[in-house]
Amino acid sequence: MNIEKKILKNHSLKTSNTLGFPASAEYFLAVKSESELEAAVDFAKQNKLSVRVLGGGSNVLMAPQVDGLVIRIDIMGKRIIQTNAEADILSKEAVSIVVGGGENWHATVEWCVAQGLSGMESMALIPGRMGAAPVQNIGAYGQEMKDIVVKVRAYHLETCAFVVLSKGECRFAYRDSTFKQAPGQYIITEVELRLSRHQDDNVRYAALQSYFAHKGINQPNIKQVFDAVCAVRRSKLPDPEVLGNAGSFFKNPVVTLAQFQKLKQQWPDLIAYSESEGYMKLAAGWLIDQCDWKGKRAGCVGVYEKQALVLVHFGGGQREDLLQLAKDIQDSIFTTFRVQLEMEPQLFPTA
Ligand SMILES: Cc1cc2nc3c(=O)[nH]c(=O)nc-3n(C[C@H](O)[C@H](O)[C@H](O)COP(=O)(O)OP(=O)(O)OC[C@H]3O[C@@H](n4cnc5c(N)ncnc54)[C@H](O)[C@@H]3O)c2cc1C
């Protein structure tokens, strides 16, 4: 395969990151098959180039100049596979699907909803591609990637071989996984998910409950939950096509129960959710809001006026502008609450 002819040099990544930061890749290739991926990695090894993998660019903070070869996974395809005997014993309603790493996440959710399959409907409208979804174990409105993953197929850059990781080997945690812990080691090409014809009880979130109360719907079906999530998200989050952003910029910090109780005494309105025994997850958006950041602008970047957790790029700025704003916010939260905020999007390339 003559892959060299397909590789682009000094390719702009400005429209390949939802923050819209100007960036250029030394080499760039969108791969459409696993054999193209192997050939691309071979090319990089022969030319001593670093390999970077990109999806839809909705969770990255792009450097102005990205050296090495940037590979975007464009491997498509989704199919329902026979539920295996074990799954049948567990639940007659389980259905497995296999999805290519390049498939658009939201379009896949929509497709599953149309087949009457539950498990992803609350994660509608999350931007990006299937291959990136396991990386930070995406989640929204009570559903999480870890709850539906069966296995992940990936190219392992150290051994130069395709491997299949079971759900356990993916080591999913809150916005975390093996893939995030070992950046640059795995390139995900395909994901197997297990969904159900039986609907999840996923209408526990206040925003969804008030949407259904307003519409007079008591027991929403899968499609109605999907529509509700889309409506709520559209009202709260900026569309990256209109205003550059990477969704939630900070993770919700996890603190000990003792630390939470101390904070709650001082800040009775503090919003928090129980995380695991002895730990609480604080609403990062609430902390940022209390420090008066919502709607603040710092040149070309700022804090979204409707949601303090979302940092935005108005245009004409660079990644460094946003990193400075993020640091100022982190410092002010630490000074006020003694809580450290951690960034959710990843530096691209990783530092
Ligand atoms: C408006 C908005 C709303 C959002 N809402 C949510 C939300 O509700 N919940 C949530 O969890 N996230 C949310 N996000 C974050 C983001 O959409 C998800 O993290 C998404 O999965 C990123 O997908 P991507 O294809 O854009 O990945 P990219 O941004 O391209 O990449 C993210 C990371 O994954 C790596 N990567 C990408 N593809 C692969 C692959 N095939 N194999 C191995 N590594 C890979 C990259 O190297 C990078 O480190 C939101 C973002 C935006 C802009």
Side-chain angles (χ1 to χ4, degrees):
M1 182 181 297
N2 193 346
I3 205 74
E4 275 187 62
K5 282 194 176 151
K6 295 187 180 176
I7 293 175
L8 307 172
K9 209 163 178 239
N10 298 325
H11 178 74
S12 170
L13 297 174
K14 188 168 192 275
T15 56
S16 301
N17 72 103
T18 59
L19 274 157
F21 286 132
S24 176
E26 188 182 5
Y27 294 96
F28 176 86
L29 181 68
V31 301
K32 293 187 171 53
S33 65
E34 290 191 346
S35 50
E36 270 192 3
L37 173 60
E38 279 183 298
V41 173
D42 270 358
F43 167 85
K45 293 219 155 137
Q46 275 164 26
N47 292 283
K48 298 194 171 31
L49 300 171
S50 311
V51 174
R52 333 273 189 194
V53 59
L54 188 64
S58 63
N59 208 30
V60 288
L61 297 167
M62 195 75 88
Q65 183 60 44
V66 183
D67 62 358
L69 173 65
V70 174
I71 295 177
R72 194 183 68 207
I73 297 299
D74 277 8
I75 299 173
M76 300 304 189
K78 43 185 181 289
R79 61 187 196 278
I80 293 179
I81 55 166
Q82 287 261 306
T83 55
N84 62 31
E86 180 211 357
D88 281 341
I89 294 162
L90 287 171
S91 162
K92 285 202 160 52
E93 293 166 331
V95 175
S96 291
I97 64 165
V98 174
V99 188
E103 288 285 347
N104 177 276
W105 173 265
H106 175 72
T108 307
V109 176
E110 206 168 16
W111 182 80
C112 292
V113 169
Q115 319 277 326
L117 300 178
S118 175
M120 305 164 85
E121 63 276 15
S122 297
M123 294 189 273
L125 275 192
I126 297 181
R129 294 171 181 226
M130 180 57 67
V135 176
Q136 76 144 358
N137 178 27
I138 62 168
Y141 295 105
Q143 287 182 342
E144 235 180 333
M145 192 66 183
K146 71 170 170 51
D147 300 325
I148 54 171
V149 166
V150 179
K151 54 191 180 206
V152 170
R153 182 173 162 85
Y155 187 78
H156 189 227
L157 281 159
E158 271 174 23
T159 54
C160 295
F162 283 95
V163 291
V164 174
L165 284 88
S166 66
K167 180 190 184 137
E169 287 168 323
C170 293
R171 295 203 192 160
F172 291 121
Y174 170 57
R175 299 295 171 270
D176 204 2
S177 69
T178 297
F179 314 106
K180 201 164 182 178
Q181 289 298 322
Q185 275 194 34
Y186 295 97
I187 302 181
I188 297 170
T189 56
E190 194 176 82
V191 182
E192 183 180 327
L193 305 174
R194 180 160 303 151
L195 304 171
S196 172
R197 297 207 179 274
H198 174 80
Q199 195 182 346
D200 255 15
D201 169 27
N202 50 7
V203 192
R204 285 155 290 178
Y205 279 73
L208 297 185
Q209 283 170 348
S210 70
Y211 173 95
F212 289 122
H214 185 68
K215 295 247 170 198
I217 299 171
N218 283 328
Q219 281 191 309
N221 60 30
I222 300 170
K223 173 74 167 68
Q224 287 169 326
V225 172
F226 171 85
D227 289 340
V229 169
C230 291
V232 170
R233 289 183 70 105
R234 284 197 175 104
S235 70
K236 278 188 176 176
L237 292 170
D239 177 356
E241 296 280 324
V242 180
L243 186 58
N245 75 93
S248 302
F249 200 86
F250 298 103
K251 290 185 183 183
N252 289 321
V254 175
V255 298
T256 61
L257 195 57
Q259 196 182 355
F260 162 72
Q261 282 162 346
K262 209 170 147 199
L263 284 166
K264 188 82 180 166
Q265 270 186 350
Q266 202 181 344
W267 310 88
D269 296 336
L270 178 69
I271 300 176
Y273 315 92
S274 93
E275 163 67 3
S276 51
E277 212 184 320
Y279 291 92
M280 296 292 286
K281 196 190 280 176
L282 309 181
W286 185 89
L287 301 175
I288 300 167
D289 214 358
Q290 293 310 300
C291 294
D292 265 342
W293 282 101
K294 199 194 263 179
K296 285 249 168 86
R297 188 170 172 152
C300 299
V301 296
V303 181
Y304 188 49
E305 58 192 4
K306 291 193 207 166
Q307 166 59 273
L309 200 46
V310 177
L311 303 192
V312 295
H313 172 217
F314 298 102
Q318 297 262 354
R319 170 173 88 165
E320 290 314 308
D321 304 324
L322 200 64
L323 288 174
Q324 184 58 55
L325 174 63
K327 187 178 177 306
D328 292 345
I329 294 173
Q330 284 168 320
D331 288 350
S332 97
I333 300 304
F334 189 77
T335 307
T336 311
F337 301 102
R338 297 278 136 193
V339 169
Q340 191 63 53
L341 287 185
E342 194 187 324
M343 284 193 329
E344 192 176 300
Q346 290 175 271
L347 297 176
F348 191 90
T350 42

